[in-house]
Amino acid sequence: IVVLKNVLKSTAYGIEEIFSFNNKLCKSKEEEEIETTFVGSEEFKYFDCKPFDERIVYDIVIIPPMLKDRLEELITKELISCLQFQHSKKALLASACLGSIVLAKTKLLDRKKATTQWAYEEYFKLNFPKINIDVNKILIDEKDIITAGG
């Protein structure tokens, strides 16, 4: 779970909590548990974050909802490179709400369908014209990248 300074804490923890509940069900069925890790470029007092590390390959990378404030400056070359690397190693990339802006910056959504928070439709069309944005869809699954609206 990617954590930037402007992440909505409740949503990042909510994602982790959903996987925790899933693990309780899996344990009762003797299925494999899902390990969650918060990954970020800095330390946060609310999250125990691991740094971006291209030696670690994840199965799924989730970018939770975040505030638009300062988002552009928080999307570093290091983050973009990390997401591109994870994608090249077959990690499923997923975003919710404005997390799709992070994915858009990687160029991995170019020539694909995506969704985002409805109020940012024009922003997407102006800044990412190669992405087929559809804010009327709550979820768009492009097999290797999933975006959820808000």
Side-chain angles (χ1 to χ4, degrees):
I1 303 168
V2 176
V3 177
L4 301 179
K5 272 188 179 178
N6 59 349
V7 71
L8 297 176
K9 291 180 275 308
S10 61
T11 60
Y13 278 122
I15 293 167
E16 180 191 44
E17 190 171 49
I18 288 169
F19 286 120
S20 175
F21 288 142
N22 179 75
N23 287 340
K24 287 179 184 177
L25 290 172
C26 289
K27 195 176 254 181
S28 68
K29 296 180 181 182
E30 297 182 14
E31 295 179 13
E32 188 174 339
E33 290 189 18
I34 298 169
E35 180 183 342
T36 57
T37 305
F38 290 113
V39 180
S41 59
E42 331 183 359
E43 291 194 24
F44 300 95
K45 68 179 185 178
Y46 299 106
F47 296 95
D48 180 19
C49 281
K50 296 193 182 314
F52 298 120
D53 185 345
E54 289 191 357
R55 294 171 292 177
I56 300 172
V57 177
Y58 298 102
D59 295 316
I60 303 169
V61 178
I62 301 172
I63 304 163
M66 55 193 70
L67 299 173
K68 175 73 172 77
D69 302 339
R70 299 183 47 235
L71 179 56
E72 300 285 336
E73 67 188 65
L74 296 173
I75 304 172
T76 63
K77 289 180 184 177
E78 177 188 29
L79 174 57
I80 291 170
S81 175
C82 181
L83 292 171
Q84 290 169 333
F85 171 79
Q86 293 297 327
H87 185 260
S88 75
K89 297 297 182 186
K90 307 298 183 218
L92 171 71
L93 302 182
S95 69
C97 200
L98 292 184
S100 58
I101 293 174
V102 178
L103 288 180
K105 289 281 193 175
T106 68
K107 305 263 187 234
L108 295 170
L109 283 176
D110 286 2
R111 293 174 296 289
K112 292 187 178 191
K113 293 178 186 173
T115 190
T116 191
Q117 208 278 344
W118 62 267
Y120 289 88
E121 180 177 20
E122 290 307 312
Y123 173 85
F124 255 81
K125 288 180 178 179
L126 181 65
N127 291 284
F128 308 108
K130 293 181 180 178
I131 299 172
N132 183 3
I133 196 74
D134 184 353
V135 298
N136 295 312
K137 301 277 185 186
I138 193 67
L139 186 85
I140 295 182
D141 183 350
E142 284 283 341
K143 307 297 180 225
D144 57 343
I145 300 177
I146 299 172
T147 53

